[in-house]
Amino acid sequence: MDGSRSQFKYAKGFSIVHNENFKVLTITDPWPNASKQYRYALVHRNLLPSITFDANLFDAIIPIPIERMVVTSTTHIPALELLEEETSLIGFPGTEYISSPKTRKLIDEGNIRELGKNENLNTEILLELQPDVVIGFGIDGNNKTFETIKKAGIPVIYNGDWVESSPLAKAEWIKFFGVLYNKTKAADSIFNQIESDYLKAKELAANVKEQPSVLSGAMYKDVWYLPSGTSPEAQLLNDANVNYLWKDTQTSGSLALSFESVFSKGKSADIWLSPSYYNSMEALREANPHYTEFDAYINKKVYSFVNTMGPTGGVTYYELGTARPDLVLKDLVKICHPELLEDYQPHFFKPLE
């Protein structure tokens, strides 16, 4: 089974090997610290009857191009749209979270069925829909619903884009969808454009002389959560050429700090980004009067993506941000270096009113 292997620039969580009559898709990192890898044979529909496989070698044999798809995260939606395959989507858990006009139209026309909640998919409707594949994601391998679906003969592929450690690595997972739709070349060229736009914005920001200092996050109960210095969020801030005040921390996952430690370091920060789910200055003040003592609050330099929503209340950033890090980076560059990108209107981030 020696075929040619797709070379990825950034993504580490999956691999694709192209053999003469079929492709092998391997998911190497379905979730953090996963001990199991998943292997799928992808076979062109017309060839499927003529090839026999040793079923023990693969977690599923999947006909491509996919004609009927169920995905389970809003982050999967942009890839389908970019590949012009959104009409293959037949079911989704929590359709109200989908913001994109194209896919919303399909939902409103009744072409995409509601499948309930992610941890508890409506298997009855799902089995009735008979998709070619379900694209799932797992925090670990314990998802009873996915086991039920697999037993009924519907393949489940774990998408691990969220495990990747850089914004461009996450975006490169469009190539995972590309191979499922037999659109490898299209996926490559879409990604190359996103990468090119990202690197141009990074280069533009690299030339500025002033680095504004940046604070992030907010309190949840008694803990202030903010991105660690090794996170994709911190990498975006680094590429936007700002002084993220916690850039030197090495923790995996979020930092969990006390109010006092954040206040002593971040009181005089120039800009405050993504203060949790708070959607206005008043909401911040009501949650904790001490928030009003930060310079960024006093100077009205607090920015968040929570107010950019689709018509049914889905936050656009949670859908499109992973697939389009070029837009996220341009937003940050525009906010932190307003003299750059003169005609650019931020896509996700807006100042809190």
Side-chain angles (χ1 to χ4, degrees):
M1 275 199 333
D2 293 336
S4 69
R5 180 181 285 269
S6 285
Q7 297 299 323
F8 301 131
K9 276 193 182 175
Y10 306 93
K12 295 185 168 68
F14 73 109
S15 69
I16 301 166
V17 174
H18 303 261
N19 297 294
E20 192 182 346
N21 293 329
F22 66 100
K23 301 173 173 75
V24 178
L25 169 66
T26 305
I27 307 298
T28 47
D29 296 317
W31 46 79
N33 310 314
S35 53
K36 177 172 167 50
Q37 298 190 353
Y38 292 84
R39 298 176 79 230
Y40 306 91
L42 311 179
V43 192
H44 198 284
R45 296 178 169 278
N46 305 343
L47 295 175
L48 201 53
S50 60
I51 304 181
T52 49
F53 287 95
D54 178 350
N56 297 323
L57 291 177
F58 300 103
D59 288 279
I61 316 271
I62 297 169
I64 58 170
I66 299 294
E67 290 172 358
R68 297 167 65 75
M69 164 92 79
V70 164
V71 301
T72 53
S73 166
T74 52
T75 58
H76 304 155
I77 303 292
L80 304 195
E81 293 195 357
L82 287 164
L83 291 164
E84 300 182 340
E85 291 290 351
E86 66 277 0
T87 55
S88 69
L89 184 64
I90 54 171
F92 186 85
T95 50
E96 74 273 18
Y97 294 113
I98 296 177
S99 304
S100 148
K102 263 183 168 177
T103 304
R104 281 241 59 88
K105 184 169 184 284
L106 293 168
I107 294 166
D108 296 341
E109 289 167 355
N111 295 318
I112 298 171
R113 296 281 296 278
E114 173 57 64
L115 294 175
K117 287 204 164 43
N118 219 330
E119 12 352 297
N120 200 359
L121 289 174
N122 187 324
T123 44
E124 205 173 310
I125 295 178
L126 198 139
L127 298 179
E128 186 191 310
L129 287 172
Q130 284 296 308
D132 296 327
V133 68
V134 173
I135 307 299
F137 66 92
I139 316 291
D140 51 34
N142 305 317
N143 185 315
K144 291 192 176 68
T145 313
F146 287 159
E147 292 310 313
T148 307
I149 296 164
K150 285 187 214 167
K151 284 196 181 101
I154 295 170
V156 175
I157 305 183
Y158 287 103
N159 177 304
D161 60 0
W162 62 283
V163 185
E164 297 284 356
S165 59
S166 81
L168 285 171
K170 292 177 183 223
E172 199 168 18
W173 277 71
I174 189 165
K175 296 175 182 179
F176 159 94
F177 286 100
V179 74
L180 293 175
Y181 288 107
N182 228 11
K183 287 190 167 180
T184 298
K185 280 202 174 88
D188 287 352
S189 98
I190 291 162
F191 177 73
N192 290 344
Q193 186 62 56
I194 290 168
E195 180 198 27
S196 160
D197 290 351
Y198 185 99
L199 296 175
K200 271 184 203 148
K202 179 182 173 178
E203 196 179 336
L204 188 65
N207 298 317
V208 299
K209 298 287 176 276
E210 293 287 311
Q211 272 195 336
S213 52
V214 171
L215 156 75
S216 181
M219 299 288 286
Y220 179 71
K221 297 186 175 158
D222 297 332
V223 180
W224 191 307
Y225 292 101
L226 64 175
S228 98
T230 55
S231 65
E233 292 82 4
Q235 188 175 334
L236 279 156
L237 292 169
N238 186 44
D239 290 347
N241 197 11
V242 305
N243 175 23
Y244 174 49
L245 296 170
W246 286 267
K247 63 177 183 281
D248 296 328
T249 53
Q250 296 292 314
T251 322
S252 64
S254 295
L255 300 172
L257 305 175
S258 69
F259 180 89
E260 292 73 23
S261 83
V262 175
F263 186 73
S264 66
K265 194 168 192 168
K267 184 206 175 299
S268 57
D270 299 310
I271 291 168
W272 185 355
L273 287 173
S274 305
S276 187
Y277 49 80
Y278 297 110
N279 62 0
S280 69
M281 299 296 261
E282 189 185 350
L284 267 176
R285 183 176 48 96
E286 282 180 3
N288 186 337
H290 294 300
Y291 285 148
T292 63
E293 295 163 32
F294 285 89
D295 289 4
Y297 185 98
I298 296 162
N299 300 327
K300 297 189 165 51
K301 294 283 186 187
V302 186
Y303 298 85
S304 179
F305 52 72
V306 297
N307 291 323
T308 306
M309 292 185 186
T312 51
V315 176
T316 316
Y317 180 87
Y318 293 137
E319 184 171 314
L320 193 57
T322 299
R324 296 295 306 275
D326 54 320
L327 298 177
V328 180
L329 182 58
K330 284 185 198 173
D331 278 17
L332 297 174
V333 170
K334 179 71 177 176
I335 288 166
C336 299
H337 311 293
E339 72 283 5
L340 302 177
L341 297 171
E342 273 176 39
D343 301 326
Y344 180 77
Q345 290 298 320
H347 212 89
F348 307 106
F349 285 88
K350 292 175 180 157
L352 286 194
E353 302 291 343

